[in-house]
Amino acid sequence: MNRNVLIVDDEADIRELLHLTLSRMSLRPICVGTLHDARRQLQNTAFDLCLTDMRLPDGNGIDLVEEMQQSGRAIPIAVITAHGNAEAAIRSLKAGAFDFVSKPVDLQKLRDLVDYGLQISALDDNHQVQKGRNAPPIGENSPTITGDSPAIRYLRDQIDRLARSQAPVFIRGESGSGKELAARAIHELGPRRNGPFVAVNCGAIPAELMESELFGHARGSFTGADRDKAGLFETASGGTLFLDEVADLPLHMQVKLLRVIQEKSMRRVGSEREIPTNVRILSASHRELAGELAAGRFRQDLYYRINVIELQVPALRDRQEDIPELANDILHHILDEDPPPRIARSALRALRDYHFPGNVRELENILQRAVTICDGGPITEAHLELGADPALAPDQRGREADDHMDSRGLPRLAPGFSLEKHLETQEKLLIEAALAQTRWNKTAAASRLGLTFRSLRYRMKKLDLD
């Protein structure tokens, strides 16, 4: 049976073009020219998709988007905007449209948009069937998002909602909190889940290679370019491109990224041919983009294009009740098929009381080390080697230190204590703190620690911090 698509546009030639294109896709388009007629059609007919123009004789297409969002009707809706009207496109995405297409309409881009809209509609239908069977909501059992705290429940709800959209999402969160896992969950729960998920750390690519890595290059475009090479945008075609640490992009690359997002096309280095892009952009940073914007290190126009919707990933200390479940999952992952060691209650209490400046990544490192030290026995507090919590106030540290001192004022050493491991942990924490405080500038961090750059680089390599 043909699926119904509502087209709302007051221009007869646009309605005719859309009607013809969608009919050839074995769809049943129903065309109207006003908001009033669109509302009447929505009351009388079940639609799988809606395409609406922005400017209509009796209102704005965004009004229709907002009305459908408020009514709870799960009909994917896309907006047709004037060419180059980036502000209108962003407004439509913020209002709840899953995507937009610009005039003059590119037919291939239109077909791609319609295909993804219908896939979203199919996902919504499947979700309704699951709810009818008393199954958990989509994402409730996501293998990447562990925990049942209010913060994680809210994060899952947000991910479920964002998975339906094609809007760019900026993911905020501290280092190690799980920003890439959230991005993967958005990808896996959305209509692009059968396409590739490509993650790139923008801070790890040398500035001179960044354009070639993202957009590819043509043969002979520079010394050593002996063949054509596809960039990450092409590799991610049909799927999702996750730009981690996007705040580290140089300004000249920010300009090029903005153009690709706006035009939905790109050029390889050394080529004049435009290549259409078909990716969803997700980005993240441990830095506050607003601060980078104020400092002049991030372009305002790019900021508004990638920060259409913002998702906050909570720090581990803000969901401490999830630590036992997280620890159990991590131990199963570390040991694969072997049964994981039991964690003593005192060790769990110590983990829940710890501040975790490195978040889930630090918990993984702690448990990896504890598994090695415990030698198959239960994991105790001593095996965790947590050290002093850097988040404690000085007077709190003093009281905690008193509890671990003997009558002579000397520290009590727990069974299995390792001075080497303890010093290594403290060194790691101090280096991470210096890097964070200097915005990951290794030269500045070395100076703050009283080290040479070469010495810091050696220590980072030894401690596996690269």
Side-chain angles (χ1 to χ4, degrees), residues 213-289:
E213 285 294 314
L214 289 178
F215 309 132
H217 61 252
R219 180 181 178 183
S221 55
F222 53 84
T223 303
D226 55 355
R227 59 185 176 84
D228 289 348
K229 179 192 172 185
L232 294 173
F233 268 87
E234 289 178 81
T235 303
S237 183
T240 302
L241 180 61
F242 175 54
L243 301 173
D244 198 6
E245 300 302 348
V246 70
D248 289 340
L249 280 174
L251 285 170
H252 76 279
M253 282 305 303
Q254 294 177 29
V255 176
K256 295 178 184 295
L257 177 61
L258 175 66
R259 179 189 176 278
V260 172
I261 294 174
Q262 287 179 335
E263 303 298 328
K264 294 189 176 181
S265 63
M266 46 147 279
R267 295 177 187 170
R268 290 180 176 178
V269 176
S271 172
E272 295 298 318
R273 184 170 68 91
E274 289 282 337
I275 302 174
T277 60
N278 177 17
V279 299
R280 184 181 187 184
I281 300 288
L282 305 178
S283 58
S285 177
H286 73 282
R287 300 186 197 174
E288 290 286 348
L289 278 192

Side-chain angles (χ1 to χ4, degrees), residues 153-458:
R153 283 179 173 270
Y154 180 73
L155 179 66
R156 284 203 196 95
D157 289 343
Q158 293 289 92
I159 287 172
D160 285 344
R161 182 175 65 85
L162 296 177
R164 297 181 71 254
S165 172
Q166 295 300 297
V169 177
F170 177 70
I171 304 173
R172 289 179 57 214
E174 297 179 5
S175 293
S177 59
K179 298 186 291 295
E180 183 173 336
L181 295 182
R184 285 185 181 275
I186 293 172
H187 170 78
E188 290 168 4
L189 294 172
R192 293 180 176 269
R193 64 193 184 282
N194 294 324
F197 177 89
V198 177
V200 54
N201 187 326
C202 299
I205 303 175
E208 62 272 16
L209 298 179
M210 193 167 287
E211 185 174 1
S212 173
E213 285 294 314
L214 289 178
F215 309 132
H217 61 252
R219 180 181 178 183
S221 55
F222 53 84
T223 303
D226 55 355
R227 59 185 176 84
D228 289 348
K229 179 192 172 185
L232 294 173
F233 268 87
E234 289 178 81
T235 303
S237 183
T240 302
L241 180 61
F242 175 54
L243 301 173
D244 198 6
E245 300 302 348
V246 70
D248 289 340
L249 280 174
L251 285 170
H252 76 279
M253 282 305 303
Q254 294 177 29
V255 176
K256 295 178 184 295
L257 177 61
L258 175 66
R259 179 189 176 278
V260 172
I261 294 174
Q262 287 179 335
E263 303 298 328
K264 294 189 176 181
S265 63
M266 46 147 279
R267 295 177 187 170
R268 290 180 176 178
V269 176
S271 172
E272 295 298 318
R273 184 170 68 91
E274 289 282 337
I275 302 174
T277 60
N278 177 17
V279 299
R280 184 181 187 184
I281 300 288
L282 305 178
S283 58
S285 177
H286 73 282
R287 300 186 197 174
E288 290 286 348
L289 278 192
E292 297 299 300
L293 189 67
R297 291 187 292 266
F298 205 83
R299 291 181 61 95
Q300 186 177 41
D301 43 12
L302 179 60
Y303 172 80
Y304 289 118
R305 291 314 297 263
I306 67 172
N307 196 28
V308 173
I309 302 173
E310 189 169 282
L311 179 69
Q312 175 71 50
V313 178
L316 184 54
R317 60 182 168 277
D318 295 329
R319 56 185 188 104
Q320 291 176 320
E321 57 267 52
D322 292 332
I323 287 176
E325 185 181 353
L326 268 170
N328 191 54
D329 280 2
I330 290 168
L331 289 173
H332 275 94
H333 177 72
I334 290 171
L335 295 168
D336 199 12
E337 297 180 359
D338 295 333
R342 183 177 64 83
I343 306 179
R345 289 184 180 179
S346 60
L348 280 176
R349 280 197 302 271
L351 287 173
R352 292 190 64 163
D353 291 341
Y354 185 59
H355 187 67
F356 283 105
N359 291 289
V360 179
R361 185 182 297 132
E362 184 179 3
L363 176 61
E364 291 173 347
N365 292 339
I366 288 169
L367 292 176
Q368 180 81 59
R369 184 174 63 240
V371 166
T372 304
I373 297 172
C374 76
D375 197 24
I379 293 176
T380 66
E381 185 176 354
H383 295 138
L384 300 176
E385 297 183 353
L386 295 178
D389 186 341
L392 293 178
D395 62 325
Q396 289 177 295
R397 291 184 194 167
R399 287 197 300 271
E400 187 175 88
D402 289 342
D403 295 335
H404 292 83
M405 296 293 180
D406 63 19
S407 59
R408 295 169 297 172
L410 298 174
R412 292 192 180 97
L413 301 182
F417 176 81
S418 165
L419 178 62
E420 184 178 341
K421 289 288 184 182
H422 176 77
L423 294 175
E424 183 180 291
T425 299
Q426 297 306 309
E427 185 179 6
K428 202 169 186 178
L429 284 172
L430 289 169
I431 290 175
E432 287 178 342
L435 287 167
Q437 291 166 19
T438 57
R439 298 184 180 274
W440 308 96
N441 183 316
K442 292 181 184 178
T443 303
S447 176
R448 183 161 297 193
L449 291 165
L451 301 172
T452 64
F453 177 79
R454 180 175 292 183
S455 177
L456 175 62
R457 190 170 59 182
Y458 166 77

Side-chain angles (χ1 to χ4, degrees), residues 69-134:
Q69 289 292 310
Q70 292 165 7
S71 69
R73 301 185 66 176
I75 303 173
I77 182 166
V79 172
I80 304 168
T81 67
H83 177 71
N85 193 341
E87 183 181 347
I90 292 171
R91 282 179 58 208
S92 67
L93 294 171
K94 284 184 178 290
F98 78 91
D99 208 346
F100 68 93
V101 62
S102 299
K103 296 179 181 178
V105 176
D106 181 292
L107 293 185
Q108 185 55 53
K109 290 178 181 177
L110 174 66
R111 294 187 193 100
D112 290 340
L113 180 146
V114 169
D115 282 340
Y116 283 114
L118 293 174
Q119 289 181 52
I120 291 171
S121 183
L123 284 174
D124 290 336
D125 291 343
N126 184 50
H127 191 184
Q128 292 301 317
V129 170
Q130 287 181 330
K131 288 175 70 176
R133 294 173 179 166
N134 296 319

